[in-house]
């Protein structure tokens, strides 16, 4: 005869077993909101509807996990890009530190603008000029030395408005979105106009995105043997690839080799990436972060030198892509807000 | 009072629970050999010793899973590369198919050698010439069309000696090694002189390596809008990156952004990749496949035009890197062997 109390104990084991066999991530999400910094609204709903659709086994829109590639622009999409690209702020500090050894820079753009602290002139020269400067300023050092200098800079430099280390200026709702996608079997990538070696230093800690899933612009490197006979990669003053605008689909094809099913950007520099993503077959998601919040962050779009959002916005409206209104859709912009 | 028979039932649940909580992969490997095609010997032992060392928690040699990056050359390391690189065989077939439209090719190298079927002349022009040819032969088509043509070719073309589809000529012991590493938390990458878009078509099925973990040489592509208004990436007749020799550490840095802890190659084209891997701190593994088996595959090293193994072999001997003797160390070369 089986006593009820002992059956009860067995049932408890069985329940525990059942719990272990069910997907723990899904069970947890049923109880806690995976994206607490998003207000209820059409933007949030478009994301969760899309994820539900592509992860429902047996649904005609089901996408196997291996094909759940999600790509995100970085500057202005995952972290702040004002008043200048943060990588430009880094380059400015670095260039100043080594300018004494390079007197000719005083007469050459974009060094001249940098050394004069002329942020307006700098912004006007656009992203390519900034990349040229970064490349030139960091030639003649190894990739390892470069990575160390980025890491050191992040511990000392502060954003001029928020007075925080730059890597604290990531968007909390987007960090939650990245984690939510990964919990649903997506592989998340950065596809940014920024320098790939700059981002890889801090992206894993900031976003949970490992170095091998960061696609970006790059300078040339050269394999050499250092004075100690050990091999090094020397950074050369030559831009090799600009991962911006039409370069983004090219970069996605080169580095990832699969067409994403979800892409998020914030500017016309992301337009072609969004178009490329949406042109594939099956379910697709295109999202744009619209900077509408001058109180908590910044407000800019069609007229901005940095992060100009014009043509991509028009296409988003025409085609029903998701446009996130930072002011309306986000409870919080930065994690450090009260 | 608890009856013993009911306690027995609870114990059975508890045992089942225990089994589920233990790592199933590890439990399985304790019982079945994960690398059955490898003979017992120093090569196999050096691999399993290294894996045990870096995966033992609390050991001074422990490496966190995120840093367990393993890179493999493809041609001659994961699959056969004789009598010519398989990608060259593909290009030969493709060039022949479209030569009628390009009469000027008859007087231009390497097209001339290709069209004449002169494999010797082709081999003498080396890998760069082959890549030039591949790039030129495939310009003016989209990346999607290219991928389809590779997939179609694999279903019809046959290796001249083995009379099998080329993608059946992968080395069974290396396929097992890749799976064994992944079961131990490694992330496996291809780092090959071959064309990245050629490999990505079949690498996932052949090796379990997804497109985003394939690094290789590449031709330029351009983002355009096709006649139907849909965006495409057009392949241009321009080589963009040669992932061979000193290009391999450059490619690893650009695409992966972390230094591998394990690298496997077979030729001097892998020398710098092996050096770069071994120059990092902590435990490191360098392996070379030595082609010693003319009966089951091919035998070649210092004098070979394709897959020449000379300087890397000398350094392997001097530094105690693992050299796999195909004839001695492998029970089987190809899966189709009896």
């Amino acid at each position: 005869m089986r006593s009820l109390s002992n059956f009860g104990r067995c049932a408890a084991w069985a329940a525990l077993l059942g719990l272990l066999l069910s997907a723990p991530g899904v069970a947890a999400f049923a109880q806690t909101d995976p994206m607490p910094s998003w207000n209820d609204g059409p933007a949030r709903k478009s994301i969760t509807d899309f994820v539900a659709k592509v992860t429902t086994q047996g649904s005609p829109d089901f996408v196997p996990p291996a094909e759940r590639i999600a790509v995100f622009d970085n500057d202005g999409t995952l972290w702040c890009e004002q008043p200048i690209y943060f990588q430009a702020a880094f380059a400015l500090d670095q260039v100043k530190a080594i300018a004494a050894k390079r007197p000719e820079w005083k007469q050459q753009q974009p060094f001249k603008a940098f050394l004069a602290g002329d942020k307006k002139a700098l912004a006007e020269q656009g992203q390519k000029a900034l990349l040229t400067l970064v490349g030139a300023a960091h030639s003649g050092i190894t990739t390892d030395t470069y990575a160390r200098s980025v890491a050191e800079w992040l511990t000392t430099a502060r954003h001029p408005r928020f007075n925080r280390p730059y890597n604290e200026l990531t968007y909390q709702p987007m960090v939650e979105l990245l984690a939510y996608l990964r919990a649903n079997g997506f592989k998340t990538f950065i596809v940014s106009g920024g320098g790939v070696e700059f981002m890889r230093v801090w992206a894993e800690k900031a976003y949970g995105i490992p170095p091998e899933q960061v696609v970006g612009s790059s300078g040339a490197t050269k394999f050499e043997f250092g004075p100690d006979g050990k091999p090094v990669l020397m950074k050369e003053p030559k831009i090799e690839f600009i991962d911006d605008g039409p370069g983004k689909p090219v970069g996605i094809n080169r580095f990832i080799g699969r067409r994403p099913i979800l892409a998020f950007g914030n500017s016309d520099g992301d337009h072609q990436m969004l178009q490329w993503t949406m042109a594939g077959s099956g379910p697709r998601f295109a999202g744009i972060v619209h900077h509408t919040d001058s109180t908590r962050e910044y407000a800019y779009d069609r007229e901005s030198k940095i992060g100009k959002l014009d043509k991509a916005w028009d296409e988003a409206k025409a085609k029903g892509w998701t446009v996130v209104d930072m002011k309306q859709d986000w409870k919080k912009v930065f994690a450090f807000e009260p």
Side-chain angles (χ1 to χ4, degrees), chain A:
Chain A
M1 289 283 294
R2 176 187 290 170
S3 79
L4 201 64
S5 70
N6 281 345
F7 179 78
R9 284 172 192 264
C10 261
W13 275 116
L16 181 57
L17 184 66
L19 200 67
L20 284 160
L21 287 171
S22 73
V26 175
F29 283 140
Q31 287 157 15
T32 55
D33 182 355
M35 297 200 291
S37 302
W38 289 74
N39 285 316
D40 279 333
R44 180 194 166 101
K45 189 174 181 319
S46 72
I47 295 167
T48 53
D49 283 356
F50 177 77
V51 169
K53 192 163 68 173
V54 300
T55 57
T56 301
Q57 211 122 18
S59 140
D61 288 325
F62 179 76
V63 176
E67 289 165 31
R68 291 181 204 158
I69 304 289
V71 294
F72 289 80
D73 170 58
N74 182 48
D75 297 309
T77 300
L78 296 181
W79 78 353
C80 180
E81 63 183 347
Q82 299 286 359
I84 58 169
Y85 294 121
F86 295 178
Q87 189 177 351
F90 166 70
L92 181 60
D93 289 348
Q94 293 296 107
V95 167
K96 279 180 183 161
I98 55 175
K101 293 179 202 159
R102 305 291 298 269
E104 72 278 16
W105 282 356
K106 281 186 185 151
Q107 301 312 319
Q108 287 173 11
Q109 290 293 12
F111 304 104
K112 193 177 168 183
F114 255 127
L115 293 173
D118 185 349
K119 289 175 186 178
K120 190 169 162 286
L122 187 68
E124 276 166 3
Q125 290 176 65
Q127 195 156 346
K128 186 164 177 172
L130 296 186
L131 285 168
T132 306
L133 192 144
V134 174
H138 298 266
S139 60
I141 59 170
T142 68
T143 50
D144 288 345
T145 302
Y146 176 80
R148 271 196 302 274
S149 72
V150 175
E152 282 168 17
W153 177 79
L154 285 174
T155 64
T156 56
R158 294 290 177 273
H159 188 275
R161 172 173 162 193
F162 297 106
N163 196 31
R164 299 245 170 199
Y166 286 94
N167 51 344
E168 288 186 16
L169 297 172
T170 54
Y171 303 136
Q172 180 61 20
M174 297 304 283
V175 171
E176 291 167 5
L177 171 57
L178 289 167
Y180 167 67
L181 290 172
R182 287 192 295 264
N184 281 283
F186 282 75
K187 202 164 178 179
T188 55
F189 289 80
I190 291 174
V191 176
S192 169
V196 69
E197 296 198 69
F198 179 77
M199 294 184 284
R200 281 172 172 161
V201 174
W202 49 268
E204 189 158 27
K205 201 175 155 201
Y207 308 130
I209 297 180
E212 62 270 23
Q213 285 162 229
V214 180
V215 178
S217 298
S218 57
T221 62
K222 197 177 171 201
F223 181 82
E224 293 179 7
F225 288 89
D228 61 355
K230 275 195 165 188
V232 293
L233 287 172
M234 292 300 288
K235 286 177 71 63
E236 302 197 303
K238 192 185 150 202
I239 292 176
E240 190 171 64
F241 176 55
I242 297 196
D243 188 51
D244 198 35
K248 288 204 176 192
V250 170
I252 287 168
N253 183 61
R254 189 182 311 169
F255 284 78
I256 306 174
R258 286 200 233 245
R259 196 189 295 244
I261 64 164
L262 180 151
F264 238 106
N266 77 299
S267 78
D268 283 0
D270 305 310
H271 195 179
Q272 290 86 351
M273 173 171 84
L274 295 166
Q275 291 175 320
W276 177 245
T277 299
M278 297 309 283
S281 59
R284 309 262 136 198
F285 183 96
I288 289 177
V289 174
H290 186 198
H291 294 263
T292 53
D293 194 333
S294 60
T295 308
R296 297 185 298 179
E297 204 242 9
Y298 296 91
Y300 58 97
D301 42 54
R302 295 195 199 274
E303 303 303 323
S304 182
K305 286 279 182 202
I306 286 175
K308 176 178 177 164
L309 175 63
D310 184 36
K311 289 182 181 162
W313 194 12
D314 290 338
E315 185 159 352
K317 285 180 188 177
K319 302 214 171 142
W321 298 350
T322 293
V323 179
V324 175
D325 181 320
M326 191 178 263
K327 195 172 180 176
Q328 300 296 328
D329 288 317
W330 288 358
K331 281 201 183 88
K332 223 180 216 199
V333 175
F334 301 117
F336 57 76
E337 285 168 23

